[in-house]
Amino acid sequence: MRTPRVAIIGAGQSGVGMGARLRRAGIDTFRIYEMRAGIGGTWHANAYPGLFCDVPSRSYQYKFAPNPDWSRLFSPGPEIRAYIEQVARDHDLPRNISFDTEVETVTWRDTEWEVRTTTGDTEAFDFVITAAGALVRTRTPAIEGLESFAGRRFHSAEWEQDAELAGKRVAVIGTGSTGMQLTRAIGPIASKFELFQRTPQWVLPLINIPYGPVAKRIMRRFPFANQFAYRFWQRVTEGTFGVAVIKAGWQRRLIAALCRAHLHVIRDPDLRRRMTPDYLPGCKRLVMGGGFYQQFRRSTVSLVDTPIDRIEPRGIVTADGVLHEQDVIVMATGFSTNRYVLPVEFVGLGGTRLTDRWNPQPEAYRTVAVPGFPNVFMLIGPHSPFGNQSLFTISETQADFAMGWIEGWQRGEFDTVAPTEAATEAFNRDLRDALPGTIWTTGCDSWYIGADGLPAMWPWPPDRHAEMLAQPELGHWSMERVNGHEQRQRAEHVEGRS
Ligand code: N01
């Protein structure tokens, strides 16, 4: 058996899952590059008050590490981060992680990948796994005068933990999932709270029941109960949301009815009208949670839907000339999406750059690999079903698929493997044909839409992703022997023994 050297880019939930997968297969020769100081990826970066996950805890976890101790049906952010850290520790991953280390370039050098970090260090690998997340680079709109604001100002994913909020005048710009969660958390404590809305969002009510000591004891005593709960919640969410996004039917009607009924929590008819979207629920990413609309019953909480004109030292000036004075402005304005592992510069066979190949829009073979980039596998890559499925489920499916190839390499079946152009083109043609039938194309602007005008999403039932990646279709892959590869391996083996 050969020993593969594996680079993983990112120590978030997918990178940790891949590291654990390698460790369980007895492979220790891997390095995880993490640009932040800690483990958790998005759950490390996002540390704003009121952060919750709106996917049920029992299916937002690794299948191989069921957690009996979730405190609620929907977990608070810090609990998810602690869970991912614990799984990393349980698999002894920290010793393989280079923290505060950003990968700059990944270059194919005849027989292997050379990974170069921003500090100039290089290391060679046989495989590269990208696990860099989908919502990473923050997006701050270029509002005139933004820099001149005299108070505290930051993006929701770059939270300044020492910022005082209680008794302060706080503005949140943006009404996505983050804006909603911030309103619930800060609305009750600020002396004045204003939510700046450009586009109203549909909000699906959720009840976040706590799990008591009995439920935790049962889950600890009977691990199969946790596995059953995973399956149960997976079926519930994929059978409703996962289907509603790809075709019309009772699931779509049910979600729409719940969102519309929820609006009646808003007592003031004028406010209700201003908060009612003019597109179908689910076209933009659904905002989910209870207790949001109720905040606007407080005399200190208000919605501002007059467009922002500019920002000046004292606060935000709207197009009607009104100055909204603030102590703190939070930009809950989302992320630059459709970037995946970019801006890492990947240079593949024949000098092909991933940035060029992905212009205007990233595409992959079945979400996991790109022709011309041998032995590179992507977790949460282009068109992954993140609108239909838990990210843990997706990345575990993809990690298992990558692992299958790594094991084939260990057995010496090939030196390099990459999907063919023909198979990749056929897959993306089918994908483009199917996308217009989905909810994301029904007339709204959202972060799902790529530069080609199509949603960068998965247009089929979530199960189909696992089916497509259950076994590689060998005719879709090009496997090669590389001159010099065996000699290098033998030399390293001898060196290792001597
Ligand atoms: O970001 P968003 P987010 N002036 O892009 C507004 C996940 N997530 O951080 O709709 C005024 O959704 C923009 O307005 P518009 C989840 O997948 C999950 O909230 O473009 N406003 C919009 O309202 C989510 O989808 C959880 O007109 C401006 C907002 O900013 C994704 O992260 C929790 C503006 C951006 O909304 C991103 O959510 C939190 C401007 N110039 C997040 N520019 C879970 O619970 C932008 N906006 C799992």
Side-chain angles (χ1 to χ4, degrees):
M1 292 285 271
R2 301 191 288 184
T3 305
R5 302 161 301 169
V6 185
I8 301 173
I9 303 177
Q13 64 87 5
S14 49
V16 166
M18 187 72 215
R21 188 76 181 70
L22 288 166
R23 187 76 87 213
R24 293 203 322 276
I27 298 171
D28 291 327
T29 44
F30 62 93
R31 171 150 308 287
I32 306 180
Y33 294 95
E34 172 51 55
M35 67 179 181
R36 300 192 179 88
I39 290 168
T42 198
W43 298 105
H44 184 272
N46 284 276
Y48 59 79
L51 172 62
F52 267 84
C53 179
D54 56 19
V55 180
S57 320
R58 301 256 187 251
S59 60
Y60 201 78
Q61 59 179 350
Y62 302 106
K63 282 196 256 325
F64 65 82
N67 176 15
D69 293 322
W70 294 120
S71 65
R72 292 181 165 272
L73 177 54
F74 301 100
S75 307
E79 219 173 284
I80 300 172
R81 177 177 164 184
Y83 165 72
I84 298 171
E85 286 170 345
Q86 186 58 49
V87 171
R89 276 195 298 274
D90 290 347
H91 291 80
D92 196 17
L93 296 187
R95 71 183 163 94
N96 294 65
I97 304 178
S98 298
F99 290 105
D100 294 312
T101 305
E102 197 164 353
V103 173
E104 191 170 52
T105 57
V106 180
T107 311
W108 181 247
R109 303 273 184 220
D110 298 332
T111 58
E112 59 193 17
W113 287 102
E114 179 195 87
V115 172
R116 176 182 291 271
T117 65
T118 46
T119 54
D121 293 332
T122 62
E123 198 171 339
F125 295 95
D126 302 300
F127 285 87
V128 178
I129 309 291
T130 72
L135 300 170
V136 180
R137 313 280 159 184
T138 57
R139 186 182 57 189
T140 298
I143 302 171
E144 185 194 323
L146 188 64
E147 301 297 326
S148 70
F149 180 58
R152 302 287 292 260
R153 171 184 63 85
F154 43 85
H155 190 278
S156 57
E158 290 155 358
W159 200 266
E160 295 181 8
Q161 297 296 340
D162 62 343
E164 276 284 332
L165 300 170
K168 300 289 179 192
R169 298 165 300 177
V170 181
V172 168
I173 301 176
T175 50
S177 307
T178 306
M180 180 278 280
Q181 296 186 345
L182 286 169
T183 305
R184 285 194 312 200
I186 308 173
I189 59 168
S191 65
K192 180 182 86 163
F193 179 90
E194 289 175 304
L195 179 65
F196 285 76
Q197 168 186 284
R198 186 165 69 178
T199 312
Q201 296 263 5
W202 289 108
V203 184
L204 185 78
L206 295 179
I207 299 168
N208 197 2
I209 54 162
Y211 289 131
V214 176
K216 290 181 189 175
R217 256 202 313 276
I218 291 173
M219 290 296 160
R220 208 168 294 126
R221 178 86 178 75
F222 306 106
F224 71 87
N226 210 326
Q227 280 146 14
F228 174 79
Y230 180 104
R231 281 258 163 244
F232 172 79
W233 285 112
Q234 185 185 21
R235 274 177 201 281
V236 168
T237 50
E238 292 181 14
T240 49
F241 302 103
V243 175
V245 289
I246 57 167
K247 62 174 191 197
W250 67 264
Q251 296 91 340
R252 207 178 267 188
R253 287 196 299 278
L254 175 66
I255 289 168
L258 289 171
C259 289
R260 282 183 203 286
H262 191 203
L263 276 170
H264 288 276
V265 170
I266 309 170
R267 289 178 183 153
D268 174 357
D270 181 53
L271 181 64
R272 192 184 313 138
R273 180 187 55 74
R274 289 159 57 208
M275 296 184 86
T276 303
D278 61 0
Y279 52 86
L280 289 181
C283 182
K284 280 175 177 286
R285 196 328 186 140
L286 264 187
V287 171
M288 297 192 244
F292 167 61
Y293 291 141
Q294 287 86 336
Q295 296 305 320
F296 295 91
R297 294 178 191 165
R298 297 176 193 276
S299 59
T300 48
V301 174
S302 54
L303 181 85
V304 182
D305 55 353
T306 309
I308 296 171
D309 180 56
R310 62 181 188 281
I311 293 181
E312 55 179 55
R314 286 184 297 157
I316 300 172
V317 181
T318 41
D320 52 7
V322 174
L323 167 67
H324 302 259
E325 290 192 56
Q326 311 292 352
D327 301 307
V328 180
I329 299 177
V330 179
M331 314 297 290
T333 44
F335 302 84
S336 294
T337 52
N338 297 317
R339 302 282 292 152
Y340 305 98
V341 72
L342 306 179
V344 175
E345 180 72 281
F346 267 75
V347 185
L349 287 178
T352 308
R353 286 172 193 278
L354 193 59
T355 30
D356 296 335
R357 208 184 148 102
W358 277 2
N359 185 15
Q361 188 56 28
E363 282 186 351
Y365 169 81
R366 298 189 177 182
T367 74
V368 286
V370 177
F373 294 82
N375 298 4
V376 174
F377 290 93
M378 300 183 170
L379 309 184
I380 316 295
H383 293 279
S384 289
F386 45 70
N388 338 40
Q389 207 171 32
S390 159
L391 286 173
F392 277 82
T393 311
I394 301 168
S395 66
E396 279 193 79
T397 301
Q398 294 165 334
D400 285 348
F401 184 75
M403 203 57 220
W405 283 111
I406 293 172
E407 285 166 352
W409 184 96
Q410 285 185 284
R411 291 189 295 269
E413 292 165 12
F414 60 90
D415 292 331
T416 67
V417 67
T420 64
E421 289 287 358
T424 305
E425 179 47 38
F427 169 75
N428 283 288
R429 212 174 27 244
D430 290 350
L431 195 97
R432 281 193 294 272
D433 288 348
L435 280 169
T438 63
I439 192 121
W440 306 297
T441 60
T442 53
C444 68
D445 187 20
S446 78
W447 64 258
Y448 293 146
I449 306 296
D452 56 0
L454 286 173
M457 304 296 283
W458 181 261
W460 300 299
D463 279 356
R464 188 142 167 213
H465 185 244
E467 283 161 19
M468 280 193 184
L469 296 181
Q471 284 297 326
E473 284 191 42
L474 294 181
H476 292 182
W477 293 82
S478 156
M479 283 177 268
E480 306 282 345
R481 294 262 168 216
V482 179
N483 277 344
H485 198 94
E486 297 298 328
Q487 288 91 313
R488 181 182 60 69
Q489 283 280 317
R490 264 199 302 277
E492 278 174 7
H493 192 63
V494 171
E495 215 172 87
R497 280 196 307 194
S498 60

